[in-house]
Amino acid sequence: MSLAVLYSRALSGMEAPLVTVETHIANGLPSFTIVGLPDTEVRESKDRVRSALQNSHFKIPAQRITVNLAPADLPKESGRFDLPIALGILAATGQIPKEELDQYEWAGELALTGELRPIRGALAMTYHAAQSGRRFVLPEQNALEAALVKKATIYAAKSLLQICAHLTKQERLPVFQSNLPEDIDDEKKDYPDFEDVKGQGHAKRALEIAAAGKHSILMVGPPGTGKSMLAARFPGIFPPMTEDEALESAAIQSLSQGSFNISEWKRRPFRAPHHTASGIALVGGGSYPRPGEISLALHGILFLDELPEFDRKVLEVLREPLESGKITISRAARQAEFPAHFQLVSAMNPCPCGYLGHPSGKCHCTPDQITRYRGRISGPLLDRIDMQIEVPAVPQQELMKQQTTSEKSSTIRLRVEKAYQLQLDRQGKTNSRLGVKEIDQFCALDSASENLLKQAISRLNLSARAYHRILKVARTIADLAGIEKINNQHIAEAIQYRRLDRK
């Protein structure tokens, strides 16, 4: 009778809770049992492990094998537990030494040949393994992604045999060293440039303010005025991602896609789901909850084109994450929380046909049709969008100019970075995330500005939320100008960005 204990990780939202893999070999009729709330993929691992051990020329004891995945109340899924289960059997039967096993954490799916296959969520698991102080052994295909966690000690293996040679000290695995350059900068990412957009100076100014303070924005205009073009260039004027932001964003991608594309490191996510997307596609879900578009846009942009064409119930799921910066997915058996600090950029036509206010005069929509069309977006959701701007048709003479006088994204970005850093130095967060008390502290108004805002509230019948969002946008406008106190010019401009509040 013998017992071996190894460590691995499960996945629960962004967390990777520790799982203790206990393998017990006892006398009795030959059997192989896995307990500890295993999913189908985990229960099937006994067949993969048996074949991998046989094909790697190890002995499988003709005894009773019991594997316990603790804690018992934590659901276990995927094939990542194949490797620690196989090593547990080898250690319990004395085919490999037990001495070093508690210094490592293990994860990897086994092929029937004993080769290791990549796993999902390697980045989140590596991060938590590094926090525990243990070394992490995982498949070679996941090593580059896992190496993004700077403090982690990683061993990349191709097969079960290679790991056993390491544990028996026949041939030690080297600590994996990433060849990723240390000076990767978001500035070197190839974003489309604002220089390509002709005209639309008002919209570019609004997007600059939105980027500086991380404000959500809605663009309203006829087809072909450049709304999608402007949105695609929006990431290019953002400040660079910090190490923590990049790691968190990469971890979300890893959880969703199974791995993270290293070429996307420190690149702001830009997610643009189609308007037929369901609520689950936006929020995330599944019996083992996975992130949706809201979380995949973490520290980046969620672009919703043709906003009124989305199902109204789908749009309503945006309300909570826009306020709280997180999304909680509840299922009967479990609950998972994912971060949702994204920047909403949306676009819509002014009417059902799209040509309201167009110089061509094509629009024949009735006022009732326009009201019903705009009514597809609820008032509470519109209230949560900081800026609502008009993107009119570009004049023909402007469109036909061979040379453009538009600013480059790099020029706009310098101003955005300066204002962004000003906010962090003053309050430790962007203006869009200021609380009520912080708004009172950092967005104080003089008497002229206060009177102007009172008139706007009265005439436009603004809600308390809209009032606070005007103040936050005004604070960002002042920061871009390098002015310490908000004045009436800043308030006046901020009010102009509440287009849909006007009667």
Side-chain angles (χ1 to χ4, degrees):
M1 183 171 71
S2 185
L3 178 71
V5 179
L6 292 90
Y7 299 106
S8 187
R9 296 271 166 184
L11 291 174
S12 178
M14 282 287 285
E15 298 299 311
L18 183 70
V19 173
T20 304
V21 182
E22 302 169 333
T23 307
H24 183 234
I25 310 292
N27 294 326
L29 291 173
S31 65
F32 194 158
T33 307
I34 299 175
V35 297
L37 212 56
D39 193 17
T40 304
E41 296 160 300
V42 182
R43 287 197 297 270
E44 289 174 347
S45 70
K46 56 189 177 184
D47 297 314
R48 292 192 296 270
V49 167
R50 192 187 298 276
S51 295
L53 289 175
Q54 287 176 339
N55 289 319
S56 299
H57 308 292
F58 290 109
K59 294 179 182 178
I60 300 175
Q63 294 171 285
R64 184 173 180 176
I65 303 171
T66 305
V67 177
N68 179 38
L69 305 176
D73 61 345
L74 177 70
K76 322 295 187 308
E77 48 86 29
S78 98
R80 73 176 67 89
F81 299 107
D82 290 2
L83 179 58
I85 289 171
L87 292 174
I89 293 171
L90 294 176
T93 55
Q95 297 180 73
I96 59 172
K98 297 180 184 178
E99 288 75 26
E100 294 185 6
L101 293 179
D102 61 350
Q103 299 174 22
Y104 298 88
E105 291 184 14
W106 316 83
E109 181 182 328
L110 285 172
L112 301 186
T113 59
E115 299 293 313
L116 284 175
R117 286 180 172 153
I119 55 173
R120 183 175 68 88
L123 198 54
M125 296 168 72
T126 306
Y127 176 79
H128 288 89
Q131 298 293 100
S132 71
R134 282 185 283 267
R135 293 169 272 183
F136 195 46
V137 182
L138 77 172
E140 190 177 51
Q141 295 97 317
N142 293 116
L144 196 59
E145 169 191 346
L148 295 174
V149 183
K150 301 297 184 186
K151 296 180 181 178
T153 304
I154 300 161
Y155 293 90
K158 294 180 180 179
S159 66
L160 179 62
L161 279 172
Q162 200 175 27
I163 292 171
C164 292
H166 173 79
L167 292 171
T168 56
K169 300 182 181 178
Q170 295 176 20
E171 187 177 350
R172 286 288 197 175
L173 286 168
V175 175
F176 182 81
Q177 299 293 334
S178 170
N179 56 3
L180 202 65
E182 292 290 331
D183 61 343
I184 286 184
D185 195 337
D186 188 54
E187 289 182 3
K188 297 175 184 176
K189 302 298 182 184
D190 186 24
Y191 296 111
D193 203 294
F194 264 108
E195 189 182 27
D196 304 333
V197 183
K198 294 181 179 180
Q200 302 299 6
H202 176 68
K204 291 175 186 175
R205 166 67 176 170
L207 287 170
E208 180 180 338
I209 295 165
K214 292 200 171 180
H215 301 289
S216 52
I217 187 168
L218 168 63
M219 295 181 283
V220 183
T225 56
K227 301 186 295 294
S228 299
M229 194 176 183
L230 286 163
R233 282 149 182 76
F234 190 46
I237 61 172
F238 262 64
M241 293 181 89
T242 64
E243 198 76 18
D244 288 342
E245 285 178 340
L247 195 59
E248 198 174 16
S249 176
I252 280 282
Q253 305 291 333
S254 172
L255 284 172
S256 173
Q257 302 166 6
S259 62
F260 174 69
N261 184 354
I262 301 299
S263 66
E264 297 296 308
W265 177 242
K266 288 197 173 182
R267 185 183 182 93
R268 296 273 180 189
F270 183 86
R271 307 292 299 188
H274 192 260
H275 58 74
T276 55
S278 66
I280 290 176
L282 280 187
V283 172
S287 53
Y288 289 92
R290 294 196 184 188
E293 294 290 343
I294 284 173
S295 295
L296 292 173
L298 183 64
H299 303 306
I301 293 93
L302 178 67
F303 177 49
L304 302 183
D305 199 6
E306 306 295 346
L307 193 65
E309 301 301 331
F310 282 81
D311 186 273
R312 183 163 175 149
K313 290 180 180 178
V314 172
L315 291 179
E316 293 308 296
V317 304
L318 294 169
R319 285 161 57 176
E320 181 199 339
L322 278 172
E323 288 287 326
S324 64
K326 61 183 179 181
I327 189 75
T328 303
I329 302 169
S330 297
R331 295 291 179 264
R334 63 189 304 186
Q335 191 179 70
E337 184 177 285
F338 295 105
H341 290 297
F342 64 95
Q343 187 156 357
L344 177 65
V345 177
S346 50
M348 63 178 282
N349 294 328
C351 67
C353 77
Y355 289 97
L356 180 67
H358 195 275
S360 65
K362 292 187 200 176
C363 179
H364 299 290
C365 299
T366 65
D368 283 348
Q369 288 175 324
I370 296 168
T371 301
R372 280 197 300 273
Y373 177 74
R374 296 186 179 181
R376 295 178 189 175
I377 308 168
S378 71
L381 177 59
L382 271 178
D383 236 12
R384 286 170 168 83
I385 299 177
D386 298 349
M387 304 172 69
Q388 304 147 13
I389 65 166
E390 187 172 2
V391 184
V394 181
Q396 186 179 10
Q397 61 270 25
E398 181 73 29
L399 195 61
M400 297 184 73
K401 280 182 181 178
Q402 295 298 316
Q403 297 290 331
T404 177
T405 55
S406 295
E407 279 188 305
K408 290 189 175 183
S409 291
S410 55
T411 306
I412 301 171
R413 181 177 179 148
L414 290 174
R415 295 196 296 267
V416 168
E417 286 179 7
K418 188 176 178 181
Y420 182 76
Q421 191 58 49
L422 190 64
Q423 295 163 55
L424 296 184
D425 293 342
R426 182 179 60 235
Q427 66 226 14
K429 60 176 75 170
T430 57
N431 291 330
S432 64
R433 296 176 65 185
L434 290 174
V436 176
K437 290 184 178 178
E438 292 167 323
I439 290 172
D440 292 339
Q441 181 181 352
F442 299 115
C443 304
L445 303 178
D446 57 30
S447 57
S449 303
E450 198 171 312
N451 289 333
L452 179 60
L453 189 50
K454 281 179 182 177
Q455 290 176 30
I457 292 170
S458 176
R459 289 182 183 179
L460 303 177
N461 197 23
L462 298 175
S463 68
R465 183 182 285 115
Y467 161 75
H468 285 137
R469 289 181 185 270
I470 286 173
L471 284 175
K472 289 191 276 190
V473 171
R475 177 68 269 171
T476 303
I477 295 169
D479 290 339
L480 278 166
I483 297 173
E484 186 179 347
K485 290 190 177 183
I486 299 172
N487 61 39
N488 57 355
Q489 290 181 343
H490 306 141
I491 290 292
E493 185 175 357
I495 292 168
Q496 291 299 310
Y497 298 131
R498 301 291 303 184
R499 181 186 184 279
L500 296 184
D501 288 330
R502 300 175 209 162
K503 295 179 183 178

